């Protein structure tokens, strides 16, 4: 299986300005932030970084780190846009800013997979604040958005309102992803596309414990039962784990090989504006009809 790279390019409201020495400098609208980035092992293009804030990492037993602000930023967040999707960015305790910009090429790819399928039925597992959900809903997909966090689902609904998409057919589900998928299998449901972005570790709304290495094979097996010969795609991303793209690619290939089509795997990356180099961010595996 050949490895491929999907690269996120800068857009009006986001860009990776520079990276190096274990950090990255990004722009989110009119604000700039510095965050840790272990993959940036090279030297930065410039040593003179100016930012509104920086996330300073710390051990997990000390809370994992905190933001240090050099200039005022809105604590309630500020609006950004990706194509027709509008959403709120804000500095979170988890070091990110409420969405994952490296997913932009994935949003584009999923849209192409359902372009000729009116009212495609799609599901976003571990859907977070719903930018990917709205990227598909904007093109006519009927969406099921699943996340165990009430706060994240509320933010997803708020982003739908900000985008003027309150009337789009989206089921906003606060649920444990594994249990929800298992119930959908028992109900005999089917989908045209599924995107899943599972965390390394997490808890469901009722205290369910999720560990990626233990839970992923069963989850992939269940998502296969929700797709059929007329389905279009599955896209899996994995962050921050010691796992190979080839490993998750083979997992998807064995589960989806009977559907035909194509299985691919590789890395997500973001292109740095300073030099054009690609900063790797995650690994992925995907199945598509053709």
């Amino acid at each position: 299986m050949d490895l491929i790279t999907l690269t996120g390019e800068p857009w009006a409201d986001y860009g990776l300005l520079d990276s190096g020495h274990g950090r990255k400098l990004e722009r989110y609208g009119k604000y700039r932030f510095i965050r840790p980035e272990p993959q940036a092992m090279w030297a930065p293009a410039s040593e003179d970084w100016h930012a509104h804030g920086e996330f300073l990492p710390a051990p997990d037993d000390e809370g994992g780190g905190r933001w240090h602000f050099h200039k005022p930023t809105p604590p309630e967040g500020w609006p950004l846009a990706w194509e027709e999707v509008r959403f709120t960015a804000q500095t979170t305790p988890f070091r990110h800013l409420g969405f994952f910009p490296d997913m932009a090429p994935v949003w584009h790819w999923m849209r192409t997979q359902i372009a000729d399928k009116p009212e495609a039925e799609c599901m976003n597992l571990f859907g977070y604040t719903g930018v990917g959900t709205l990227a598909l809903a904007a093109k006519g997909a009927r969406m099921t958005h699943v996340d165990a966090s009430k706060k994240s689902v509320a933010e997803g609904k708020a982003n739908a309102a900000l985008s003027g998409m309150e009337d789009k057919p989206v089921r906003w589900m606060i649920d444990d992803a594994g249990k929800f998928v298992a119930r959908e299998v028992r109900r005999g449901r089917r989908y045209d596309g599924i995107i899943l972005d599972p965390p390394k570790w997490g808890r469901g709304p009722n205290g369910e414990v999720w560990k990626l290495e233990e839970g992923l094979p069963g989850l992939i097996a269940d998502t296969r039962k929700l797709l059929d010969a007329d389905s279009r795609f599955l896209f899996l991303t994995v962050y921050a784990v010691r796992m190979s793209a080839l490993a998750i690619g083979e997992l998807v290939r064995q589960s989806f090989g009977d559907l035909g089509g194509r299985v691919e795997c590789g890395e997500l990356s973001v292109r740095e504006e300073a030099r054009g180099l690609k900063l790797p961010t995650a690994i992925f595996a995907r199945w598509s009809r053709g």
Side-chain angles (χ1 to χ4, degrees):
M1 190 181 304
D2 293 332
L3 296 173
I4 61 176
T5 302
L6 298 180
T7 302
E9 304 292 346
W11 77 81
D13 276 351
Y14 173 78
L16 172 64
L17 299 172
D18 198 0
S19 63
H21 293 165
R23 302 188 303 162
K24 57 186 175 184
L25 174 65
E26 301 165 291
R27 59 175 176 83
Y28 290 82
K30 63 181 181 179
Y31 301 103
R32 295 183 173 200
F33 298 96
I34 298 170
R35 296 192 290 157
E37 182 47 74
Q39 301 272 34
M41 295 180 284
W42 44 79
S46 171
E47 298 287 350
D48 189 21
W49 287 5
H50 298 283
H52 291 79
E54 178 174 2
F55 189 89
L56 302 175
D60 289 341
D61 58 2
E62 297 179 14
R66 61 182 179 83
W67 286 97
H68 177 74
F69 295 98
H70 308 291
K71 303 175 185 178
T73 60
E76 72 283 1
W78 58 97
L80 298 181
W82 177 82
E83 300 199 358
E84 65 274 79
V85 180
R86 293 180 62 80
F87 51 93
T88 297
Q90 61 184 142
T91 51
T92 74
F94 312 104
R95 84 176 57 189
H96 51 74
L97 284 97
F99 75 106
F100 298 102
D102 58 338
M103 291 295 290
V106 181
W107 302 332
H108 276 298
W109 180 82
M110 292 189 300
R111 289 190 315 178
T112 64
Q113 301 306 307
I114 62 167
D116 64 344
K117 183 82 171 180
E119 298 187 335
E121 289 279 352
C122 298
M123 179 161 56
N124 188 357
L125 289 170
F126 310 96
Y128 194 35
T129 59
V131 181
T133 295
L134 298 175
L136 289 175
K139 295 302 182 182
R142 302 177 63 86
M143 296 300 302
T144 297
H145 176 102
V146 184
D147 199 286
S149 166
K150 292 181 181 180
K151 185 175 186 293
S152 292
V153 171
E155 290 170 342
K157 292 179 179 179
N159 286 335
L162 189 63
S163 300
M165 296 187 195
E166 305 101 311
D167 60 342
K168 295 294 184 181
V170 179
R171 289 197 297 163
W172 299 98
M173 310 299 296
I174 302 170
D175 209 336
D176 175 80
K179 289 185 176 180
F180 181 82
V181 168
R183 287 198 302 273
E184 291 289 86
V185 170
R186 293 194 295 270
R187 293 174 184 135
R189 291 289 300 270
R190 64 154 315 267
Y191 288 86
D192 294 298
I194 297 175
I195 176 174
L196 60 161
D197 183 20
K200 179 179 180 179
W201 183 92
R203 286 191 181 275
N206 298 312
E208 302 93 338
V209 175
W210 164 266
K211 295 180 180 179
L212 183 70
E213 293 86 349
E214 297 175 5
L216 186 59
L219 183 61
I220 291 298
D222 277 349
T223 57
R224 164 62 187 88
K225 298 171 186 175
L226 297 177
L227 301 174
D228 58 27
D230 294 323
S231 298
R232 302 305 174 85
F233 74 85
L234 174 129
F235 200 102
L236 164 69
T237 54
V238 173
Y239 288 83
V241 296
R242 296 183 63 182
M243 190 178 291
S244 165
L246 291 172
I248 63 172
E250 182 60 20
L251 176 64
V252 171
R253 189 195 68 78
Q254 290 191 13
S255 294
F256 287 79
D258 64 309
L259 283 181
R262 175 185 304 166
V263 174
E264 299 168 301
C265 65
E267 294 192 357
L268 297 183
S269 70
V270 178
R271 191 181 306 280
E272 181 195 277
E273 292 184 4
R275 296 164 290 188
L277 61 77
K278 297 178 181 180
L279 175 67
T281 59
I283 59 175
F284 76 88
R286 67 185 182 186
W287 168 83
S288 60
R289 171 54 49 204

